[in-house]
Structures are given as C-alpha cells and as structure tokens.
Amino acid sequence: MDIIWNLLIQRGIPATEVALYKEVFVILILLPVVTTIIGIARYVIGIKSLGIFTPVIITFLLYEFGNNAGEQDIWKAVKYGVLLYTITLITSWLVYRVLKYLRMNYIPKLTLVTLGVVISLFACIVVAGIVGFNGPVFLNKFTLIILAILVEPFVSAFARKGTSYGFNTAIDTFITALFCYIFISITRLQSFVETNLLIIPILIIVNVYLGRFTGLRLNEYWRFRSILFGDNKTTNDQPKQDN
Amino acid sequence: MISLSKIIENRKLVLGRNERYLNYIRPYNKRGAIKIADDKTISKRILARAGIPVPTLVKVIKNRNQLNEFDFSTLPKSFVIKPVKGVRGGGVTIVYNRNKEGKWIASGNRRYTEDDLKSLIQDILDGRYSLFNEPDRALIEERVRPHKGFKYYSYKGAPDIRVLIFNSIPVMSYIRLPTKESDGKANLDLGAIAAGIDMAVGKTTSSIIGKSTAIDYVPNTNLPLSGIKIPYWDKILRYACEASKVTGLGFGAVDFLIDEEKGPVIVEMNARPGLSIQLANDDGLRWRLKKASGIKVKTTERAVRLAKDLFGGEIEEEIESLSGKQVIGLTTNIEVYSLDLQTSFNIKAKVDTGADLSSIDESLAVSLGFGDIIEEFKILYSEASSKLTTEDEAQVVAQDIFTKLKLKFDYLTNIKYIRSSHGTSLRLYVNIKIIIEGQEIITNFTIFDRKHLSYKILLGNNTLGKFLIDPSKIQV
C-alpha cells in the first residue's frame, strides 16, 4: 500500500491529508472484513442474523458510537449501542404489536412504527440529558437515522416469524455485530490493512472456501445431537443387496 | 462416554443446511422446477394433467377486481383458502360448513361472514403470507376429508405425510400430526408431532414433538406413536415419484393428505425441504442421498422398489410375510421343557447352521430330568469302552447300548459313534420340547458336556427348518 501513499505525497498532497486517504481506505476495506465475519457466523457457527445489511449497519454504528477523538473506545460503543439498540428493538415490537391487528398497507404501518421509535429515542436522549448524561446528543445525527430505520428488518422478522424468533435473531444480530466491531477496532488490524495489501487475497481465499463449505454448522451439531451422539445404526452401514 | 470417532462416523450420515443448498438444491432443482413447486396453481395443474390426485380447485383469485366480482354463494359447503405462494402454512383458512345464518364455520370454531372472508383474501393478495411480502394470489380448493385412521392420533386438523424425494427415488418420509399445542396445525415450529416412517413397510418408527424433543406416546394418552400403519403407502410412494418426474424437481418434498374417499392427494410440493425430518426418523439423510444419487431409474415401480430396499429398516418383516418363515438372529432366546413337561427354562441358545444336529449341555439335561438315562448310559459306556478300538466295533457297541436303554427310556432316539473336534465318542440322542419365537418344536438333541462353551444349547440344522437366519439381528 505504501506505493499509493508515496504516490499521493509525490503529487504534493500534504501528509495530514494522506492520513485521511488512509482512513478512507481502512474503513472501506473493513466492510468486506465485517461481511466475512458475518459469513463465518452464519455458515460455520450457524448464528442467524437479520440479513447481511443489519449486522453491517450495527457494526459501523458501534464504530461511530465508539469514536472518541479518532480512537476507539469499546466500552463507550457497547454502552451506547446496547442502550439505543434495546430501545429501538423494544419500541418497534410494542408498536408493531398494537398495529398487528389493524389491516394496513405495509409502508404506512412501518412509518407508524418508525414514528414510535423516533419518539422514544428522542425521549430517551432528553431524559439522559436531564439526569446529567448528555453524551447521546453529541452523537452523529446520521447514525440516529440509521438506527431508527432498523425498524424495517425488525418488523419484517416479527411479521414473518413471530415474536420469539424476532427477538432471538435481533439479539444474535447484535452479538455478531458487536464481535465484528471489536474485531475491526483492534488497532493492529487497522495498521495491518493500512500497510499491507495481503488482506485482499486473504479475503478472497477465505470467502471462496466459505462459499464452498458443506460441513455441518456448529449449531447443527447441537440440533442433530440425538443422531450424532446416539448409537450408530447397524442397518445403515450394512450394504444391502442390490437388485 | 461419547467417542470422537463415533461422532465423526455419525457425521457422515447427517445432512446440514450448507450441504443441502450447495450439493442438492442448487444442482438438482432447476429454476423452472422451483417455480412450479412454489406456485401451487401451476403444480396442481401439472400434477392433475399427469393423473396424480390433487384437491379439486374451486377458484383462483388474482386481484381485487376478481375478489369483488367473486360470487361467494358458488362456494362448496367446505373448502380451504390458501395463499398461492404461502410459506410454512401461513394464511391457510379451513372452512368446514355454513350455518343457518349464512356464516361460514372455520377452524378454531371461528365464524366468518362474506366480508370477513373477503378481508382474509385481501390479506393474501397484499402478500402478507408470501415470501418477501410480494403480492400474491388466493387459491380456493375443496377441503380434503381426513382419513378416519388418524382420528385418535391428531388433534382437530388433518395429519400430512411428507415424502422426501431425490433423483425421483423416495428417500425419507414422515407424518406430521397436529396437536393441541399447535392448534390443529401440522407445523413443527408450533409444536406438532412428527413421526418418521419406515420406507419399506409404511409404519411409523420414532417421533419428535416440536423441533427436536423425542416423544413416544400421543400427549395425554397411552397411544404409542410407533407402528402406526400409513394407509395407501405404496400409492403414496408411487405418486411422489411421479410428481417429481413430471415437475422436474430433483430434490424436494411432496406433501400428501389422505382423503377419506380419494385416498392420498398431493397438497403441496417443496423445493427447499426442512432438515427436521432427520430428527423424526432418528436417522441422517446424507447417506441416503448418496445412495440414491447416480441411479438411473426408468420406471416408477423400480423407484418404489429401490426406496423400500435401500431405505427400509425392517425389511425382515416383509421377508417373513413372503416366505412364511420367521427371522431369527445368531443367538435366540428359547424355552426348554423338562422331560415331564411340567417346568421350563429360558435359555439363550446359539444358532449354528454349521451343525447338523442340535446339542444340549449335560448339566442342563440333568436338571431337565434326563439324569437317569445319562447315568445308565455312562455306566454302559465305561463297561464297553475297552471294545471301542475300531469303528466297526464301536457301531456294534452303540447298537447294543441303544437296544438296552430303549427298553427303559422310550424317549431315547439314537446312540451314535461320533468323530468330532472333541475326539471320538458315543453320543446320546433324546427328543426335547422347545419353543423358539413362539413356535413349539419337538426336536432331537445330543447330550454332551458343553461346560467349557458359552452357550448351553446349540441349535443345529435339524431344528432350524422353520426359520430364516439374519446374522445382523440382535436378541435383546
């Protein structure tokens, strides 16, 4: 990667600006890193997440929450993340439950759920400010918008698969995202991708392998435990006569 | 302790989601076939054209205009409303009858007016139950009247039978029984029961309730879930094969309901069958799919034959019914009667087709009441032992002892000069009554000292004529 940075410096771009270019590259290349982790979580471990969009968004939300003057403050990210995510999830479920029995078109219904979530998020920020915890109001405004639009995957999970499935996958999604966030905020990883193009072939190899992976997922070892840990059926092993 | 090698061995049996998609759904289900399976109207038409029974179609409602123009009075007395592209049985309403006020009586004892039905159908049209909330169509078809055979096994709703097919060969099957918990729906996620079916004989084997809990009896009863005979089993297998052929679905599931009059009818086909069927059968799919792949199946009869031969567990039952002979293992529990037939012993006997005659241990024979003859035989034997130098002499001695003993003990059948691995000797033959697998047999035993052998009774060819022997059968 140094060739590119040197090229930029040779073209007369000041070193402070080159740092910004580096930052852009790091944040962009971390996206496929995150999706790779989500892929591993799904195909190797078997964690269900709400699509690929939701965990990615939450990962970078946490990345933004944890931003403390350029450094990553993991504790801060977890604190804000858990609080705001929980509020969004619970409010969207509550409002959805009320609206479930009304016959409504999809988008207006979603809008009402979003309205509920937006109100509760704002109320929470106000209450936090009153009790002397005014951190949330300094968050990037755009992150709050992204957070509020998470109602769409939540509501669609509740609508299609029911409450418990919705909550389970939403929590799994958050845990996956949290893991992704902690992984990408490791400074050593960031400096590795910044200086080393090796990350690209690594990502290609891992994903090609993952794409052809036909093994049992970890949770399937649990799901099929009665067969896997049970007695081998002798009848299955015996070659039966061919007709 | 569970050994790692066993898990690795068992792992080869089980099909997981990754492999299901990459090795089976993708390569074997062409897009056209998936489209047919997903769309109930198309699959119904194709199946009906091929002469496979399906529930009679009443009407397909495609849009709001058709819904408004639809004359609800033309509906039959009992019918089912379904979304054409519904998933997991969502949005299905079963109407049983119409009462005097003109209201329809539906499942769960709900009453519907014409407006209620319209709003239900509108929901379906809006895509509430379809994959990805796409706009959908509503299908109205005649209700299948459930077969009476399952009356005591299922709560309210009708059980459905799923046959998993691969390469046009049925590979695995289960029946889903609605329970009170699942509110009469045959949906495992809601708490229905799934019972695996033996492919050869069409009888249920093991069962689960909900997603994975093993269960032996119908809840709150003492009705066993195993051994339920599925009616029309051969027909079901045949229709499943034919359905996969006409729709081109290489790997998928065919769902049947059993109508009281029509017999099995196909209600749905599924191009992405679930994996819980393995838990219900307590057996993996993977080895079955491997076995079924690469076989060229020309006729439906052959496909059914293959399914039964390859994947039927209790095939011996069939052999029994074919040959009229019972199958026993290499060891079997038998009942041996004493000489006076007053008492009997339960003994584990060894089956040995390499022996011409059955034999019994001396000490056991003594406790059966053969002590007297054995004693007298021994005395006569030792008196004559000096004469036993050549074979001819021995034959004479044997004949001599036999005539002497036969006068006193009429149950004595023979005395023979034997050369065996134990050396040369004279042996005593008597008739004893035994019971093998419920069959009473009076058979000839030779008495000798089997103390150093692990089985006190050995069953030889003279006793085994009424049985077939399966070395893999293990006596419990």
Side-chain angles (χ1 to χ4, degrees):
Chain A
M1 273 320 276
D2 286 338
I3 304 169
I4 298 169
W5 311 141
N6 289 338
L7 183 77
L8 289 170
I9 292 170
Q10 274 170 16
R11 291 287 151 140
I13 295 170
T16 47
E17 255 179 59
V18 172
L20 287 180
Y21 282 94
K22 284 184 183 174
E23 212 174 295
V24 169
F25 175 72
V26 169
I27 202 87
L28 283 178
I29 201 75
L30 285 181
L31 177 64
V33 171
V34 168
T35 51
T36 304
I37 299 173
I38 295 165
I40 293 171
R42 160 121 25 123
Y43 297 110
V44 180
I45 304 173
I47 295 175
K48 280 180 192 159
S49 55
L50 298 164
I52 188 168
F53 176 79
T54 323
V56 167
I57 285 296
I58 299 166
T59 305
F60 287 98
L61 276 181
L62 290 170
Y63 198 79
E64 188 58 35
F65 290 162
N67 190 359
N68 203 346
E71 295 289 303
Q72 279 300 317
D73 180 350
I74 292 178
W75 171 235
K76 186 183 165 203
V78 172
K79 203 165 56 181
Y80 282 33
V82 170
L83 180 76
L84 297 175
Y85 189 77
T86 314
I87 290 169
T88 314
L89 178 59
I90 290 178
T91 325
S92 39
W93 176 66
L94 285 174
V95 183
Y96 170 73
R97 236 182 63 144
V98 175
L99 296 180
K100 193 175 156 183
Y101 301 101
L102 299 178
R103 283 181 31 73
M104 286 182 76
N105 278 330
Y106 187 60
I107 293 176
K109 194 186 260 184
L110 207 61
T111 309
L112 292 182
V113 180
T114 315
L115 184 66
V117 169
V118 168
I119 291 169
S120 64
L121 276 178
F122 182 66
C124 158
I125 292 171
V126 169
V127 170
I130 290 169
V131 299
F133 177 62
N134 63 359
V137 83
F138 293 109
L139 287 175
N140 185 339
K141 312 296 172 286
F142 196 61
T143 58
L144 292 176
I145 297 292
I146 301 280
L147 186 70
I149 202 62
L150 285 180
V151 294
E152 155 122 60
F154 289 165
V155 167
S156 102
F158 287 136
R160 284 198 288 135
K161 303 273 187 74
T163 303
S164 67
Y165 177 89
F167 272 105
N168 282 337
T169 40
I171 291 166
D172 282 358
T173 305
F174 188 78
I175 292 169
T176 315
L178 191 64
F179 181 79
C180 290
Y181 161 67
I182 292 171
F183 187 75
I184 63 167
S185 59
I186 298 167
T187 357
R188 203 179 289 166
L189 176 80
Q190 293 191 2
S191 51
F192 173 77
V193 299
E194 190 182 296
T195 54
N196 208 328
L197 270 183
L198 200 60
I199 187 75
I200 293 170
I202 291 177
L203 284 176
I204 292 173
I205 291 166
V206 169
N207 279 292
V208 166
Y209 179 74
L210 202 59
R212 312 278 326 149
F213 179 67
T214 56
L216 278 190
R217 301 175 184 181
L218 272 183
N219 69 340
E220 284 174 335
Y221 279 95
W222 175 248
R223 181 182 177 193
F224 297 119
R225 61 190 179 281
S226 60
I227 304 172
L228 289 170
F229 303 159
D231 278 321
N232 230 330
K233 290 195 176 164
T234 46
T235 48
N236 300 345
D237 296 338
Q238 276 166 15
K240 287 219 170 105
Q241 226 177 319
D242 279 5
N243 289 19
Chain B
M1 272 306 287
I2 306 149
S3 68
L4 197 66
S5 64
K6 199 164 93 184
I7 296 176
I8 293 168
E9 198 54 40
N10 283 342
R11 156 70 189 95
K12 290 181 192 154
L13 306 177
V14 178
L15 182 75
R17 291 177 61 136
N18 294 331
E19 196 176 0
R20 171 183 66 169
Y21 178 72
L22 283 176
N23 291 354
Y24 295 101
I25 294 179
R26 266 304 294 278
Y28 292 102
N29 288 345
K30 300 277 178 300
R31 202 186 300 164
I34 292 183
K35 211 171 165 183
I36 294 170
D38 283 353
D39 190 319
K40 291 191 187 88
T41 58
I42 305 179
S43 52
K44 198 189 254 298
R45 202 169 57 227
I46 289 179
L47 293 173
R49 209 190 295 147
I52 301 167
V54 289
T56 315
L57 180 70
V58 177
K59 173 87 187 162
V60 179
I61 297 175
K62 288 178 183 150
N63 52 40
R64 197 183 283 252
N65 274 347
Q66 285 193 347
L67 174 61
N68 289 335
E69 282 164 18
F70 183 63
D71 183 4
F72 280 80
S73 62
T74 61
L75 283 171
K77 233 168 52 179
S78 92
F79 54 91
V80 180
I81 304 174
K82 291 178 180 176
V84 169
K85 294 180 179 175
V87 278
R88 289 173 178 248
V92 177
T93 307
I94 304 169
V95 174
Y96 296 96
N97 212 337
R98 201 171 182 179
N99 66 10
K100 280 173 199 151
E101 297 116 61
K103 281 186 177 177
W104 281 279
I105 305 165
S107 47
N109 213 7
R110 281 183 282 264
R111 311 282 150 124
Y112 290 120
T113 61
E114 195 174 311
D115 280 346
D116 292 334
L117 285 185
K118 272 188 178 168
S119 105
L120 277 173
I121 294 171
Q122 187 62 48
D123 268 354
I124 292 173
L125 297 179
D126 288 345
R128 196 173 150 189
Y129 306 103
S130 67
L131 217 66
F132 311 118
N133 291 319
E134 294 163 346
D136 200 357
R137 284 158 291 156
L139 180 82
I140 304 175
E141 60 184 24
E142 262 174 25
R143 183 174 77 94
V144 173
R145 267 162 256 271
H147 190 266
K148 291 272 190 307
F150 301 116
K151 205 171 158 191
Y152 301 105
Y153 293 98
S154 66
Y155 179 84
K156 279 184 182 170
D160 76 341
I161 294 153
R162 164 168 288 197
V163 178
L164 217 115
I165 37 164
F166 175 56
N167 191 18
S168 293
I169 301 171
V171 287
M172 207 179 242
S173 173
Y174 69 9
I175 177 168
R176 283 176 294 192
L177 303 163
T179 59
K180 200 168 180 177
E181 267 175 291
S182 73
D183 192 29
K185 290 192 175 110
N187 185 334
L188 281 187
D189 289 334
L190 299 175
I193 291 171
I197 300 174
D198 185 290
M199 297 300 288
V201 291
K203 274 185 186 168
T204 56
T205 52
S206 55
S207 307
I208 52 166
I209 184 164
K211 276 176 187 162
S212 63
T213 319
I215 184 172
D216 291 330
Y217 296 95
V218 178
N220 306 322
T221 68
N222 49 13
L223 279 175
L225 281 163
S226 61
I228 307 171
K229 178 95 182 117
I230 309 294
Y232 309 107
W233 180 240
D234 283 12
K235 258 190 183 170
I236 290 174
L237 290 179
R238 231 173 35 235
Y239 289 152
C241 298
E242 281 166 9
S244 98
K245 263 186 207 154
V246 295
T247 56
L249 199 67
F251 172 71
V254 187
D255 290 348
F256 290 87
L257 286 177
I258 298 188
D259 189 272
E260 214 178 15
E261 286 159 19
K262 281 201 219 166
V265 291
I266 295 184
V267 282
E268 211 179 305
M269 294 187 69
N270 194 324
R272 303 166 205 83
L275 296 170
S276 297
I277 191 166
Q278 302 181 92
L279 291 169
N281 279 280
D282 196 21
D283 190 7
L285 255 179
R286 194 165 176 264
W287 69 272
R288 296 194 181 197
L289 295 173
K290 287 239 156 93
K291 246 181 196 175
S293 70
I295 303 177
K296 280 220 165 65
V297 188
K298 287 199 186 101
T299 62
T300 309
E301 281 68 34
R302 173 130 171 89
V304 172
R305 192 68 255 159
L306 278 169
K308 290 184 166 188
D309 289 351
L310 293 173
F311 310 124
E314 287 161 28
I315 197 131
E316 62 192 51
E317 219 167 304
E318 267 204 328
I319 292 172
E320 281 170 3
S321 62
L322 285 175
S323 65
K325 291 187 177 184
Q326 256 174 313
V327 175
I328 55 175
L330 286 180
T331 61
T332 183
N333 288 334
I334 64 167
E335 225 175 314
V336 195
Y337 280 87
S338 65
L339 187 55
D340 53 10
L341 302 180
Q342 296 304 311
T343 51
S344 69
F345 296 90
N346 240 319
I347 305 275
K348 194 172 189 181
K350 169 95 180 146
V351 173
D352 183 2
T353 51
D356 287 336
L357 287 163
S358 303
S359 58
I360 185 166
D361 180 47
E362 202 182 279
S363 62
L364 180 64
V366 170
S367 50
L368 288 173
F370 293 97
D372 297 343
I373 187 170
I374 291 169
E375 220 157 279
E376 289 217 14
F377 169 70
K378 276 186 174 167
I379 295 166
L380 291 171
Y381 188 13
S382 60
E383 278 172 1
S385 61
S386 56
K387 296 177 195 161
L388 292 171
T389 44
T390 68
E391 200 174 321
D392 286 341
E393 274 177 5
Q395 299 287 11
V396 176
V397 171
Q399 190 56 43
D400 186 40
I401 296 176
F402 175 72
T403 39
K404 276 183 193 162
L405 286 178
K406 184 71 180 173
L407 293 172
K408 276 170 94 176
F409 311 100
D410 66 333
Y411 49 83
L412 175 70
T413 52
N414 207 352
I415 285 175
K416 266 189 191 165
Y417 173 72
I418 299 275
R419 268 189 309 186
S420 73
S421 53
H422 306 287
T424 54
S425 59
L426 290 181
R427 294 265 180 86
L428 192 59
Y429 289 82
V430 291
N431 271 338
I432 300 177
K433 180 181 160 188
I434 57 172
I435 293 179
I436 308 175
E437 294 276 321
Q439 285 200 53
E440 196 183 294
I441 301 163
I442 294 172
T443 187
N444 215 333
F445 276 93
T446 153
I447 299 172
F448 81 103
D449 194 354
R450 293 181 58 89
K451 239 184 292 183
H452 54 288
L453 298 171
S454 37
Y455 295 96
K456 290 196 164 168
I457 287 184
L458 187 115
L459 299 174
N461 291 344
N462 69 327
T463 314
L464 296 170
K466 287 179 178 172
F467 302 94
L468 291 175
I469 293 141
D470 175 5
S472 71
K473 184 166 176 172
I474 288 153
Q475 182 97 36
V476 270

